[in-house]
Amino acid sequence: QVDVVESGGGPVQTGGSLRLSCTASGLSFEDSAMGWFRQAPGKEREAVACISGSGLGLYHAPSVKGRFAISRDNAKNILYLQMSSLEPEDTAIYYCAARSEAGYGRCEVAWYPFWGQGTQVTVSS
């Protein structure tokens, strides 16, 4: 059984920063592609950033490029999303996803079979 758990969400003011963390068990973490996705009320879930098992392959969505950074610590089995210059439009539930394949392949919802329950990020103006 694969368990994915996010943490680190919360309220933050416009322009502020927040770091999300994600752990995944039940799979080989370093051999698994990981991703961050988000879903705002009334909208579809969308990709934020994805990373290969080694950490060398990265993708950031255009809407967050330059403000968010995905990274991973394979020694600790933790995935991170460092978010800076947050905007009210970043308000959403943020989900961590995993796939037991080293390359990040496609940074798309349908590509990832394992998901966490999500953590709420609320950016106030």
Side-chain angles (χ1 to χ4, degrees):
Q1 178 181 349
V2 177
D3 288 321
V4 180
V5 181
E6 307 94 339
S7 62
V12 62
Q13 292 189 329
T14 297
S17 298
L18 211 56
R19 188 177 76 166
L20 305 183
S21 300
C22 169
T23 60
S25 59
L27 47 67
S28 174
F29 188 80
E30 65 181 2
D31 294 321
S32 298
M34 304 288 293
W36 287 102
F37 296 78
R38 66 186 182 186
Q39 187 165 17
K43 294 187 177 182
E44 293 187 353
R45 194 171 297 189
E46 63 176 6
V48 175
C50 295
I51 188 168
S52 64
S54 67
L56 296 179
L58 301 173
Y59 168 83
H60 293 84
S63 60
V64 306
K65 204 166 187 178
R67 300 189 299 122
F68 292 10
I70 190 171
S71 64
R72 63 192 298 160
D73 185 337
N74 285 347
K76 297 180 179 179
N77 286 10
I78 301 177
L79 175 75
Y80 299 104
L81 183 69
Q82 179 67 48
M83 304 186 293
S84 303
S85 302
L86 283 160
E87 305 165 351
E89 294 73 22
D90 296 316
T91 294
I93 299 174
Y94 283 71
Y95 297 91
C96 176
R99 180 182 174 103
S100 295
E101 187 171 327
Y104 76 73
R106 303 190 303 275
C107 197
E108 299 175 1
V109 171
W111 198 72
Y112 285 86
F114 306 116
W115 292 83
Q117 294 299 307
T119 184
Q120 176 72 47
V121 173
T122 303
V123 185
S124 60
S125 57

